[in-house]
Amino acid sequence: MNSQVFRIQRSLKKLDSSNIFQGIVIAVIILSALLIGAKTHDLPPQAFALLSALDVGVTVFFVIEIVIRYLAFPEKKKFFKSGWNIFDTVIVIGSLIPTGGSGVLLARLLRVFRVLRLVSMVPELRILINALLKAIPRMGYIGLLMFVIFYIYAAIGSILFNQINEVLWGDLSISMLTLFRVATFEDWTDVMYETMAVHPMSWIYYLSFIFLTAFIFLNMMVGTVLEVMGQEHENFRAQAHGETAEGGEPASRAQIDKLERELAEIKALLKQKV
């Protein structure tokens, strides 16, 4: 009995990991996205009925796919320890809510989120999302420092330029919105030339602010994301090659290079002894 269950589980795992099945799942996800977009148009009743039937078919396919993935998973208790598995399960269960009745809005919204399943199915997209989530804490400190700079410059701008244009520099909060406009280069020269007519040296205020926010802090955020993304790519490559460090975590490139150097040194010592 156990051997039969093992064979079934192995067959399901082989099916779940096959490129053909993964391609079919991705195609169905894209079809689901097209169905959502098509339903936003004014269609005849026959076409709408056909789209509804296709939507039911897509929902049934997603249920079957998540069941296959669960049955193919070696350790069932660890299936929901993966955030992606939890995400896919919630989306699939939410798709089972009927579109009629009082939950029509919630059902439609959950069907829109089915498109996000494409992220969980494509490894490259998972790497991007994981890198973004891991970079958020570091980006938070950069964002906090940017807020301090915004606050200081907004206070200075409100003091210096309040009499020139109260709409743009009336108080601290309005000044911060104006500085956000300057930082995003949205007609910022008009704001600068208006204050330069009264304070000719006010260009220093704007250029120094743009240099700090647009050139330094934003590049710091980009660098942080790229650094974490490089680490995620390294972990993915290590997992793909079965390289693990102590504690079961994927080995980094530096750890692998260190092990290779140590092996080379051991080989050299053995040759000397021989």
Side-chain angles (χ1 to χ4, degrees):
M1 184 66 179
N2 292 333
S3 60
Q4 185 178 0
V5 173
F6 178 76
R7 285 196 300 268
I8 295 174
Q9 184 179 14
R10 186 173 59 182
S11 301
L12 292 176
K13 185 175 182 181
K14 185 177 180 180
L15 174 64
D16 181 59
S17 59
S18 65
N19 294 329
I20 297 176
F21 184 73
Q22 296 296 322
I24 293 174
V25 174
I26 293 174
V28 174
I29 294 173
I30 296 174
L31 175 62
S32 175
L34 295 176
L35 292 176
I36 294 171
K39 286 186 176 181
T40 60
H41 295 276
D42 189 12
L43 301 173
Q46 296 82 0
F48 191 82
L50 177 61
L51 293 178
S52 299
L54 289 175
D55 185 75
V56 173
V58 169
T59 303
V60 172
F61 178 84
F62 282 158
V63 172
I64 295 174
E65 185 266 336
I66 201 70
V67 170
I68 290 175
R69 194 196 307 180
Y70 177 77
L71 295 177
F73 203 79
E75 301 181 28
K76 303 296 186 295
K77 295 181 179 180
K78 294 183 179 180
F79 180 81
F80 293 106
K81 289 186 177 181
S82 172
W84 293 112
N85 291 336
I86 296 175
F87 174 78
D88 289 341
T89 304
V90 171
I91 294 298
V92 172
I93 293 175
S95 299
L96 299 176
I97 299 176
T99 55
S102 58
V104 57
L105 180 60
L106 177 60
R108 289 180 178 178
L109 289 176
L110 290 174
R111 278 166 170 73
V112 171
F113 283 107
R114 288 193 308 197
V115 183
L116 288 176
R117 289 206 60 203
L118 189 64
V119 177
S120 64
M121 297 304 300
V122 181
E124 288 75 11
L125 295 180
R126 289 202 304 266
I127 292 174
L128 293 177
I129 297 299
N130 289 334
L132 180 61
L133 293 177
K134 291 183 178 179
I136 287 177
R138 302 184 189 181
M139 294 171 61
Y141 292 107
I142 300 175
L144 179 60
L145 186 57
M146 284 186 64
F147 175 79
V148 172
I149 298 299
F150 264 82
Y151 191 90
I152 293 174
Y153 271 82
I156 295 174
S158 182
I159 294 172
L160 295 178
F161 310 136
N162 184 24
Q163 301 300 325
I164 299 175
N165 191 333
E166 191 174 355
V167 176
L168 298 179
W169 307 99
D171 53 39
L172 183 65
S173 58
I174 296 298
S175 299
M176 292 186 73
L177 289 176
T178 303
L179 288 177
F180 184 80
R181 170 183 172 182
V182 173
T184 54
F185 302 108
E186 177 63 29
D187 293 334
W188 71 277
T189 53
D190 296 340
V191 180
M192 181 181 68
Y193 290 142
E194 183 182 34
T195 58
M196 285 180 64
V198 180
H199 303 286
M201 298 300 293
S202 62
W203 60 269
I204 300 176
Y205 171 86
Y206 295 98
L207 294 186
S208 61
F209 175 77
I210 291 175
F211 180 78
L212 288 174
T213 56
F215 295 154
I216 295 181
F217 291 125
L218 292 182
N219 285 328
M220 288 173 63
M221 285 193 173
V222 173
T224 300
V225 174
L226 291 178
E227 179 184 358
V228 178
M229 192 176 299
Q231 295 174 357
E232 285 297 310
H233 276 286
E234 191 67 28
N235 292 339
F236 180 77
R237 186 202 60 79
Q239 290 177 348
H241 291 80
E243 300 165 351
T244 55
E246 295 180 0
E249 295 296 330
S252 64
R253 183 72 259 174
Q255 292 171 326
I256 296 171
D257 293 339
K258 182 181 178 181
L259 290 174
E260 290 177 349
R261 288 194 301 268
E262 291 176 351
L263 289 174
E265 293 175 358
I266 292 173
K267 289 181 180 179
L269 291 175
L270 291 175
K271 288 181 180 179
Q272 291 177 0
K273 290 182 179 180
V274 172

